[in-house]
């Protein structure tokens, strides 16, 4: 079933029909397509291009189609070229010839552009909402666990931090993810309807009416750009990619921390799986899958960037390839957020193991150097003195705080009894700017 054919002598090949058809995936756009059409018809009537009666009939027909799709009476299948032909053909079947007036002053090029912008905006805002829910879970987990833990650089124990502060690092990343998505939505919030195929239309339409009706901020400035711009899809998938990169870092930490080697956390059984051969195994599959799916979202970004590369203006059929990567990437992100919300909400933090790791790691070496600096030693010299103490302790199998003042004095006469308080882990967190971690 086609919306064209007048200028063709031969039938389209079956193979081509199938190759060309996008209904199997753009059927998701049925709501946006019908919403866009209703706004278009309303505008056409306001501009005197359709009569009020025609508008009523078409709108009623569109509403019926929407209801029938949503109740499952009308199945989104068949040999239609795309969702636009599906809706239009079914409209004509339902209301007869007046349905043929729906496409007045419009092309599928501005139609698909408006559908995708509406869909992309909705999805991005849905992701923003879910990210805010995830942030709340992260915040709660952080607040409930101000326990001290080793902080790492190069994945080597570096300085003491708190689990709370560590988790709040992700909270900060997620705030940026949200802001990035909101910024992208702000940029895409322009109405392409009325651009026609590429050069507007000879009818005296009013683009402001559909702009208001569809809740866009403004109309696009340029017709050619309006129908061929897919920046917003690229931008949103870039935002998703950065967000997934953050998720993959968090997942990697959850995987490491839940291993016997770290033992800092316990992932709830609900989000782990066992091994078919090794009875003792509990695998952090949910976190591994999030880490793995990051690659899939990056793939979507590469796909859309490559599709758009070098395309001449304006619309080209290549652009039909924008949909599957966007659908897949946004679905993936939403699924990952849902899993993270549940997994972090049920996470157990093992503060004793973290404390043990802190004690074994010379995590107060920097503070010990600061102590000497406070007593007047230049930092570079203090760094050297503490370095020798660490070497000594490693040989002796003890920690800095285990050494007596007499022993410490062998390394520097500046050490006094107050060193122990100064390098005490809890105390050091209470000092200066570090208080932020508590
Ligand atoms: N299915 C098409 C797409 O997603 C709709 C636009 C078709 N336009 C055209 N000139 N054939 O891009």
């Amino acid at each position: 079933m086609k919306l064209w054919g007048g200028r063709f002598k031969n039938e389209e090949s079956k193979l081509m029909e199938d190759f060309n058809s996008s209904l199997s995936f753009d059927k998701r756009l049925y709501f946006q397509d019908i919403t866009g059409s209703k706004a278009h018809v309303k505008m056409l009537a306001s501009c005197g291009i359709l009569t009020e009666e025609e508008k009523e009939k078409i709108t009623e027909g569109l509403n019926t189609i929407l209801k029938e799709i949503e109740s499952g009476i009308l199945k989104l299948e068949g040999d239609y070229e795309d969702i636009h032909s599906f809706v239009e053909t079914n409209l004509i079947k339902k209301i007869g010839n007046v349905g043929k007036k729906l496409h007045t002053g419009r092309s599928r090029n501005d139609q698909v552009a408006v559908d995708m912008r509406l869909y992309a905006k909705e999805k991005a805002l849905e992701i923003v909402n879910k990210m805010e829910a995830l942030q709340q879970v992260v915040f709660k987990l952080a607040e409930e666990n101000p326990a001290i833990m080793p902080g790492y650089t190069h994945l080597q124990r570096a300085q003491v931090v708190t689990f709370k502060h560590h988790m709040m690092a992700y909270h900060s990343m997620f705030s940026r993810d949200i802001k990035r998505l909101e910024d992208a939505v702000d940029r895409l919030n322009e109405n392409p309807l009325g651009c026609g195929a590429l050069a507007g239309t000879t009818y005296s339409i009013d683009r402001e009416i559909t702009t208001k009706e569809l809740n866009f901020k403004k109309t696009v400035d340029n017709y050619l750009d309006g129908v061929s711009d897919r920046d917003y899809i690229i931008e949103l998938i870039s935002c998703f990619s950065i967000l997934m990169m953050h998720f993959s870092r968090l997942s990697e930490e959850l995987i490491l921390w839940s291993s016997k080697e770290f033992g800092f956390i316990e992932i709830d059984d609900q989000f782990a799986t066992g091994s078919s051969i090794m009875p003792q195994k509990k695998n952090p599959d949910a976190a591994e899958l999030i880490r793995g799916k990051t690659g899939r979202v990056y793939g979507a970004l590469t796909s859309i960037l490559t599709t758009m590369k070098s395309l001449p203006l304006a619309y080209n059929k290549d652009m039909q390839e924008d949909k599957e990567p966007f659908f897949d990437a946004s679905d993936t992100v939403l699924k990952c957020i849902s899993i993270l919300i549940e997994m972090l909400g049920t996470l157990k933090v093992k503060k004793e193991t973290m404390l043990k790791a802190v004690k074994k790691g010379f995590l107060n070496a920097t503070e010990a150097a600061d102590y000497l600096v406070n007593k007047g030693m230049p930092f570079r010299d203090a760094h050297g003195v503490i370095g020798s103490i660490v070497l000594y302790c490693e040989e002796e199998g003890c920690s800095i705080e285990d050494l007596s003042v007499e022993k410490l004095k062998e390394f520097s006469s500046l050490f006094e009894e107050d060193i122990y308080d100064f390098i005490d882990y809890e105390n050091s967190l209470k000092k200066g700017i570090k208080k932020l971690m508590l």
Side-chain angles (χ1 to χ4, degrees):
M1 257 158 277
K2 290 187 186 61
L3 301 174
W4 43 268
R7 61 100 58 225
F8 287 81
K9 281 198 216 136
N10 295 330
E11 280 282 301
E12 191 185 17
S13 115
K14 257 280 152 237
L15 205 59
M16 174 57 192
E17 213 172 272
D18 185 50
F19 190 56
N20 191 32
S21 173
S22 52
L23 184 66
S24 63
F25 50 89
D26 67 13
K27 62 182 179 189
R28 284 193 189 223
L29 299 176
Y30 75 86
F31 184 80
Q32 291 73 17
D33 198 69
I34 292 173
T35 307
S37 287
K38 287 202 290 191
H40 180 64
V41 166
K42 187 168 178 187
M43 180 279 290
L44 289 177
S46 302
C47 296
I49 301 164
L50 289 184
T51 65
E52 277 302 307
E53 199 193 326
E54 287 167 336
K55 176 191 94 176
E56 293 302 327
K57 278 206 175 121
I58 299 176
T59 309
E60 226 173 84
L62 288 169
N63 283 337
T64 312
I65 291 178
L66 180 60
K67 260 194 236 131
E68 290 187 359
I69 293 175
E70 298 203 317
S71 63
I73 298 174
L74 189 57
K75 300 251 177 300
L76 287 161
E77 58 195 27
D79 57 349
Y80 300 93
E81 200 177 325
D82 49 32
I83 185 64
H84 325 297
S85 349
F86 178 92
V87 172
E88 198 177 325
T89 312
N90 278 289
L91 180 73
I92 296 166
K93 266 195 222 158
K94 271 206 175 358
I95 63 168
N97 275 345
V98 60
K100 293 183 181 165
K101 296 198 172 188
L102 166 65
H103 212 51
T104 314
R106 184 178 75 170
S107 153
R108 269 186 300 164
N109 297 352
D110 57 347
Q111 188 179 354
V112 74
V114 83
D115 290 4
M116 266 310 267
R117 278 196 201 230
L118 290 173
Y119 184 89
K121 190 162 90 173
E122 259 171 53
K123 276 289 148 189
L125 295 177
E126 190 183 336
I127 291 174
V128 164
N129 274 337
K130 267 205 127 138
M131 283 297 282
E132 282 166 353
L134 174 61
Q135 271 194 314
Q136 281 176 19
V137 174
V138 170
F139 185 77
K140 186 162 175 278
L141 181 65
E143 280 296 309
E144 286 171 357
N145 293 286
I148 62 171
M149 72 177 285
Y152 294 79
T153 62
H154 312 267
L155 202 55
Q156 307 291 322
R157 288 174 203 164
Q159 282 185 287
V160 69
V161 296
T162 58
F163 184 82
K164 173 180 169 180
H165 202 61
H166 197 121
M167 287 316 293
M168 288 307 282
Y170 288 103
H171 195 277
S172 296
M173 293 177 222
F174 298 163
S175 293
R176 293 196 295 278
D177 291 331
I178 289 171
K179 187 78 181 54
R180 249 188 296 274
L181 285 164
E182 287 172 341
D183 285 349
V185 167
D186 187 55
R187 255 186 302 283
L188 75 76
N189 205 3
E190 298 185 358
N191 180 19
L193 201 57
C195 291
L198 77 164
T201 168
T202 52
Y203 301 96
S204 290
I205 60 165
D206 185 346
R207 294 194 291 151
E208 296 304 331
I209 296 179
T210 50
T211 301
K212 233 176 115 209
E213 198 62 25
L214 297 171
N215 280 322
F216 284 113
K217 226 172 41 185
K218 64 185 274 291
T219 56
V220 296
D221 292 331
N222 183 287
Y223 298 143
L224 279 88
D225 185 44
V227 288
S228 64
D229 169 27
R230 297 292 183 272
D231 291 6
Y232 61 97
I233 296 181
I234 297 174
E235 244 189 288
L236 285 176
I237 305 182
S238 309
C239 297
F240 299 163
S241 297
I242 299 175
L243 179 156
M244 286 300 295
M245 177 269 288
H246 292 153
F247 284 2
S248 76
R249 297 181 75 178
L250 173 57
S251 299
E252 172 72 5
E253 301 211 289
L254 296 177
I255 294 162
L256 285 172
W257 292 347
S258 65
S259 69
K260 284 275 178 298
E261 281 70 13
F262 279 78
F264 291 178
I265 56 165
E266 169 126 26
I267 293 175
D268 196 271
D269 285 1
Q270 298 174 77
F271 303 99
T273 65
S275 155
S276 57
I277 174 167
M278 298 165 281
Q280 85 285 9
K281 291 292 289 294
K282 176 172 164 185
N283 299 326
D285 290 35
E288 289 173 279
L289 277 169
I290 294 173
R291 192 176 58 181
K293 284 178 192 292
T294 305
R296 180 175 178 144
V297 174
Y298 291 1
L301 180 61
T302 307
S303 161
I304 181 67
L305 278 170
T306 313
T307 297
M308 292 307 294
K309 179 183 173 293
S310 315
L311 283 189
L313 297 186
Y315 177 83
N316 298 271
K317 197 58 177 268
D318 314 44
M319 291 175 187
Q320 181 163 288
E321 294 296 312
D322 63 351
K323 289 172 196 63
E324 286 161 294
F326 185 79
F327 295 159
D328 189 74
S330 50
D331 287 353
T332 303
V333 167
L334 281 165
K335 273 189 219 155
C336 292
I337 304 176
S338 299
I339 287 281
L340 272 176
I341 287 177
E342 297 286 318
M343 185 162 53
L344 295 179
T346 51
L347 198 76
K348 296 232 161 28
V349 178
K350 297 167 153 175
K351 36 181 205 198
E352 289 74 26
T353 339
M354 294 196 303
L355 186 62
K356 265 190 219 146
V358 163
K359 289 196 168 149
K360 273 193 271 166
F362 299 107
L363 298 193
N364 49 8
T366 312
E367 282 70 24
D370 290 344
Y371 172 89
L372 292 176
V373 170
N374 284 340
K375 303 255 162 161
M377 187 184 284
F379 182 77
R380 199 45 62 210
D381 293 340
H383 187 283
V385 170
I386 303 298
S388 323
I389 295 178
V390 167
L391 193 62
Y392 174 81
C393 287
E394 265 179 348
E395 280 160 7
E396 297 296 311
C398 64
S399 310
I400 304 176
E401 61 273 25
D402 295 336
L403 302 179
S404 65
V405 182
E406 291 68 44
K407 187 81 221 164
L408 288 168
K409 277 186 187 294
E410 288 176 22
F411 293 91
S412 164
S413 58
L414 293 175
F415 283 114
E416 301 290 347
E417 205 44 54
D418 57 352
I419 177 66
Y420 301 108
D421 266 354
F422 197 91
I423 62 173
D424 176 82
Y425 294 107
E426 302 276 358
N427 281 348
S428 84
L429 283 174
K430 288 182 194 137
K431 280 195 201 93
I433 196 92
K434 283 184 181 233
K435 283 187 208 130
L436 183 64
M437 292 197 219
L438 293 170

